Amino acid sequence: MTKIEKALFVLLATIAVSYVGLRAYLNPLVNDEAYTFLYFIYTDRFIPFDTIFWSANNHPINSLLTWICYKVIGMEEWALRLPNVLAFILFTRYSFKIGTLLRSTWIRWSFWVSLLATPYLLELFGYTRGYGLSIAFFTAAIWHFIKAVESKKLLLDWQTWPFMIFALFSNLNLVNSYFIWILLFALFSFGTTSWLKWTLHISIRASILIIPILMGLQLKFYDQLYFGFQTNILDSFHSLLAALYGDISSVWGFFIIAVTILTAIGIVISKISSLQSKNTYFIIGIFLTLNILASLVQFWFLDVNLPRERTTTHWYFLLIASLFFSLDFIQTYWKKAYLLCFPLLLIPLGQIHRYNLFRASLDDWALQQFSDDFYDDLVELQKDNNQLLTLESNVLFNKHVYDYLNMKNGTQLNDLQYVWDITNTSADIVLISDSLGQFPAKDYKIISSDKRNSTSLLKRKSPKILTPVYNYQIPHPDKIENQRYEFGDIELETLKNKNLLFSFSMDIRASSAPHLLYTTIELKDSIGEIIATEQIEITPLRHDWTNASNTKFTFTWYNIPASANLAHVYIWNYRVPKISVEAAECTIFKLD
């Protein structure tokens, strides 16, 4: 390969890295990023089996690296995403190395362009998630494994193993790939040493699988393996390609089947061929084929959902590699095989319009994004009001991103309440998505709109009419070990079918950020049975918990059930670290 070709690749990689870096700096957080920060990074509880609760959002390696950046740099979006941006540099390095194994210049460059010029793949390296990290580590592992097989020094290869471990714990979806690597290691190392040493090498490497298997069982027990399909494997490929290339037709299904079959045939041919390149194609083809087969087996026999979109992105690397190594193999017999690269290059080149520094490419992720402009507008609106403004949204996942911004800016804004039907809202400020087709029935005016994800911020024109019906105060410091701080029971006999606004003001502190600190409202019937519960999470309303300071928030309960006789209100203080209440007040208003 010439120096000019190397220089051109450096230019391509530099452009791609710059794009990923700019996205990491400019693009608003999506829900999963904010969720990871709030519940695992900020609380310092991300180590498996030592977390606050089990969630598929906790990608351990990503959480660890993000936690380090947070502690060193601070609470900035670009800082939290920095590990993935650096991982992309690693990805470009090993994509280059693997590409050099392709003999045709056209095929080689088609391979590189398909990897480094696909917007959605680049996008995953601009989030604080484990997907980008896992792809980078997995690509590095494949390269080192290929070289170890070629040099026949598998038993001395201690580079592949760490990269496979990092990939696995960045994204547990690679558990199948790790197992496949063990099988390939066993195949290629068989007969190169004594049976005892061979077994020991395999056992040591395979022992790591115990941890992700136990983690997977816990996640399944807590119903956290919900993301995926319960249909067929074609839907997995279709969702991946739709994310990568936008709206696609069912023709892609036939294309995927054809490529998969060709890969399987190529594996057989490469195994019996005497060509030097057989191991590369065999390794990549086996990874792709067995990943698909393993997902089907888990779906059929273990009731594990088939993967989709981001959980299949490592398949994309294997698919592209298999495709272009297939062409490289065919070129041995047909010198014009490189001509097939030209129609394939139209795929990434056709995605130029999907490059975007300010918006997630997937609509459901874009909908979750909460712009800084919206937050600045909320701050200004609150400055102009003496009373705490009530905030509601009909977008389910706006709340975590809003909580992150509230915590980051340290501004005393109200809790953002999710309301599935915004039609009858009485909130001061409403965030709506045009795509959901819901609009407040009362008179509101648009404060600002974000055309990038079709969301708008609305302000109520007329003030709320509030009638106080209950007030209770905790006027003195209470014992810190209390499980609950009670605000008492409120009779609801005359308030049935009414809208109630629960307003709270608290002076509380803790030794560190409380884990899942809730204010709880329980509605009970005439015999004391709980018929409905709502919890308002307090933790994201503050950043510094070591000093007691006033925290205010509200919750609106629309249409109190006719069967409700009383409301029981308390601060839930079960988890460590415990909070200490210096003073607290709860006032309930009837909302007209």
Side-chain angles (χ1 to χ4, degrees), residues 299-316:
F299 174 62
W300 290 331
F301 299 105
L302 300 177
D303 193 31
V304 174
N305 288 346
L306 291 167
R308 59 178 295 179
E309 293 128 31
R310 55 189 179 272
T311 56
T312 59
T313 313
H314 59 291
W315 288 13
Y316 177 69

Side-chain angles (χ1 to χ4, degrees), residues 580-591:
S580 179
V581 176
E582 304 289 329
E585 180 178 10
C586 171
T587 304
I588 302 177
F589 300 91
K590 185 175 68 170
L591 188 59

Side-chain angles (χ1 to χ4, degrees), residues 74 122 128 180 182 225 270 312 321 366 423 427 451 453 461 523 547:
L122 303 187
T128 175
I180 294 165
I182 297 294
L225 300 181
S270 67
T312 59
T423 307
K451 295 180 180 179
N453 63 354
K461 291 183 177 180
L523 300 187
N547 297 312

